[in-house]
Amino acid sequence: MSEFELLHFQSVTFTGQSAGARLIVLGAVHGNETCGTQAIRRVIAEIESGQLGIVAGSVTFVPVTNPLAYVRHQRMGDRNLNRNLVPTATPVEFEDRIANWLCPLLAQHDALLDLHSFHTQGEPFIMLGPQDNDGTLEPFAREAEETALALSLGVHRFVDGWLDTYAAGVARRLAAGAPAREADVHYGVGTTEYMRAQGGIALTLECGQHDDPAAPAVAYRAIHNALAHLRLTAAPVPAPVTDTEALRLYRVVDRAHAGDAFARAWSSFDRVHAGEVIGTRRDGTQVVADSDSHVVFPNPKAQPGQEWFYLARSSARV
């Protein structure tokens, strides 16, 4: 029996006796990001034991969204599940099979909380969707609801601008003759973008560094707060966080070669000044900050042709 045939998809749903919101919570979209898995299993155990009651609406938990990557203890199985997320009639990679199961499941819900972690040290943050707009890239009309949910999760740092910035990177890749998939703006569509396209609200919570022992507690608190905010449990509604910091992504820089190296061990949200060297290409070309900004998602192990790091500027959105 093959490795694939031993894998399965699991979701666990609890439904209250009254009507209400339909929340879905994902863990391990990337297989080496397990803080969400740990937190989800802890909350499931509380519900099953009677410590926590779902009084209205419903919540669906997916402890391990990418089982192949999870059993391999790595970010991806065949490819990044959180890119080009769409059902397909001709699945080739294992993540295509996940998408055919996951996308209809997402579409059955009103709100998504996707729990992640990141490569380098840094404090937790939330990825917000776009502001309300009727554009063609990512039209949206539920900004106020999504922001209110984000402010309830107990995290103080917020980042937006994902798909806009990704689209700009796609344009650059197209000009450089990149492979068709990575030079397609739809390759930037992951769980949250797909959820919003189905009419829902969606948040990615980056709970901390992969191995940070505090990250599962960040995820656990966020699940409880989301359940209370959406009135799925009888717990008091959490007060919105204060003392917030908001940043907007504006530039993505790809790693061109395995020999490209960072100038130092960057952490997400490290400040850089205009002209400061962030990394050096294999041929000696320096990659510098184009303005005073913050390094976000630095990935020293990025594959050539994939995102190496992002730059963000301060925002007044939250």
Side-chain angles (χ1 to χ4, degrees):
M1 186 174 289
S2 71
E3 180 184 30
F4 288 171
E5 290 173 314
L6 292 173
L7 299 173
H8 61 271
F9 306 130
Q10 180 195 40
S11 64
V12 180
T13 300
F14 299 94
T15 304
Q17 295 186 39
S18 302
R22 297 167 297 172
L23 172 68
I24 183 167
V25 184
L26 304 183
V29 164
H30 296 131
N32 61 339
E33 301 178 18
T34 62
C35 58
T37 303
Q38 296 172 58
I40 286 170
R41 287 176 172 161
R42 182 179 172 188
V43 175
I44 288 175
E46 290 176 345
I47 297 172
E48 290 181 333
S49 69
Q51 292 176 257
L52 180 66
I54 302 301
V55 298
S58 67
V59 58
T60 297
F61 295 106
V62 181
V64 177
T65 310
N66 190 332
L68 179 59
Y70 185 80
V71 298
R72 290 179 175 175
H73 307 291
Q74 61 190 33
R75 180 174 174 82
M76 303 179 285
D78 294 328
R79 66 170 177 87
N80 190 342
L81 176 62
N82 219 22
R83 302 287 185 274
N84 196 33
L85 183 66
V86 65
T88 175
T90 55
V92 176
E93 295 159 314
F94 185 72
E95 280 76 6
D96 296 336
R97 301 180 187 280
I98 301 173
N100 283 347
W101 167 75
L102 180 62
C103 289
L105 184 63
L106 290 173
Q108 295 169 20
H109 294 80
D110 305 312
L112 164 65
L113 176 59
D114 192 358
L115 300 166
H116 286 252
S117 56
F118 43 86
H119 298 274
T120 55
Q121 295 300 317
E123 65 179 82
F125 63 97
I126 292 170
M127 291 292 298
L128 292 168
Q131 294 176 281
D132 288 345
N133 72 95
D134 57 2
T136 58
L137 182 62
E138 193 178 14
F140 194 50
R142 299 183 66 184
E143 177 193 355
E145 294 172 72
E146 189 174 276
T147 302
L149 177 60
L151 288 167
S152 79
L153 299 185
V155 174
H156 294 260
R157 178 174 278 162
F158 304 85
V159 180
D160 72 346
W162 162 256
L163 202 55
D164 285 344
T165 304
Y166 196 89
V170 163
R172 189 184 63 253
R173 288 173 188 156
L174 276 171
R181 182 167 68 182
E182 280 126 25
D184 181 351
V185 69
H186 294 101
Y187 193 64
V189 172
T191 58
T192 54
E193 291 76 25
Y194 186 85
M195 185 71 177
R196 293 186 197 103
Q198 307 308 305
I201 60 175
L203 297 170
T204 295
L205 171 55
E206 298 279 355
C207 300
Q209 196 273 339
H210 295 328
D211 301 318
D212 186 344
V218 172
Y220 173 79
R221 177 185 62 189
I223 295 171
H224 269 269
N225 285 10
L227 291 170
H229 175 81
L230 295 170
R231 311 296 202 276
L232 303 189
T233 62
V237 175
V241 297
T242 57
D243 189 26
T244 59
E245 179 186 23
L247 297 168
R248 177 160 295 159
L249 300 174
Y250 73 92
R251 182 184 175 198
V252 57
V253 177
D254 294 338
R255 196 179 191 196
H257 189 277
D260 296 351
F262 283 130
R264 66 178 178 87
W266 297 104
S267 296
S268 267
F269 305 104
D270 278 346
R271 293 178 181 272
V272 291
H273 298 290
E276 185 172 348
V277 177
I278 298 173
T280 303
R281 300 292 188 188
R282 181 185 61 154
D283 64 4
T285 302
Q286 292 184 327
V287 181
V288 302
D290 57 359
S291 66
D292 291 349
S293 53
H294 299 255
V295 174
V296 183
F297 296 135
N299 183 2
K301 299 180 180 179
Q303 295 297 312
Q306 299 294 314
E307 306 105 289
W308 196 17
F309 65 92
Y310 286 78
L311 291 174
R313 297 189 182 102
S314 295
S315 164
R317 176 170 174 187
V318 178

